[in-house]
């Protein structure tokens, strides 16, 4: 489930970067700035948290990870 969520965040990242490029082409800097905020959240918060959780599962093992969530 976490891996699927992370894959989706990566897809969102690509889509946001594409939309940001489109905004720059259209000289729509207000929309670009709004999308940049979303991109920052996606990369630095959402995807980062999911990568951390998957890293913990790899290091601790699924059973120990799940116990730590209680
Ligand atoms: Fe997200």
């Amino acid at each position: 489930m976490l891996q699927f969520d992370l894959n989706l965040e990566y897809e969102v990242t690509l889509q946001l970067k594409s939309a940001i490029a489109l905004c720059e082409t259209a000289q729509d800097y207000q929309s670009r700035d709004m999308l940049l905020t979303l991109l920052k959240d996606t990369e630095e918060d959402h995807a980062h948290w999911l990568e951390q959780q998957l890293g913990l599962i790899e290091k601790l093992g699924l059973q120990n990870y799940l116990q730590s969530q209680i």
Side-chain angles (χ1 to χ4, degrees):
M1 183 178 74
L2 295 172
Q3 185 61 61
F4 279 114
D5 283 352
L6 182 57
N7 293 345
L8 184 60
E9 294 295 345
Y10 289 154
E11 179 61 32
V12 169
T13 297
L14 291 176
Q15 296 293 329
L16 285 169
K17 286 180 177 176
S18 174
I20 288 166
L22 187 63
C23 287
E24 288 173 355
T25 302
Q27 296 184 331
D28 179 357
Y29 301 111
Q30 291 281 347
S31 298
R32 182 198 62 182
D33 288 350
M34 292 168 55
L35 293 170
L36 276 173
T37 301
L38 294 176
L39 179 61
K40 190 172 185 285
D41 282 347
T42 299
E43 287 183 325
E44 295 177 12
D45 186 17
H46 307 179
H48 180 67
W49 185 84
L50 289 163
E51 288 165 347
Q52 280 182 321
Q53 303 314 300
L54 289 167
L56 285 171
I57 290 170
E58 196 174 305
K59 286 181 189 132
L60 303 174
L62 184 58
Q63 293 298 328
N64 289 332
Y65 172 81
L66 289 173
Q67 265 190 330
S68 74
Q69 301 302 304
I70 296 173

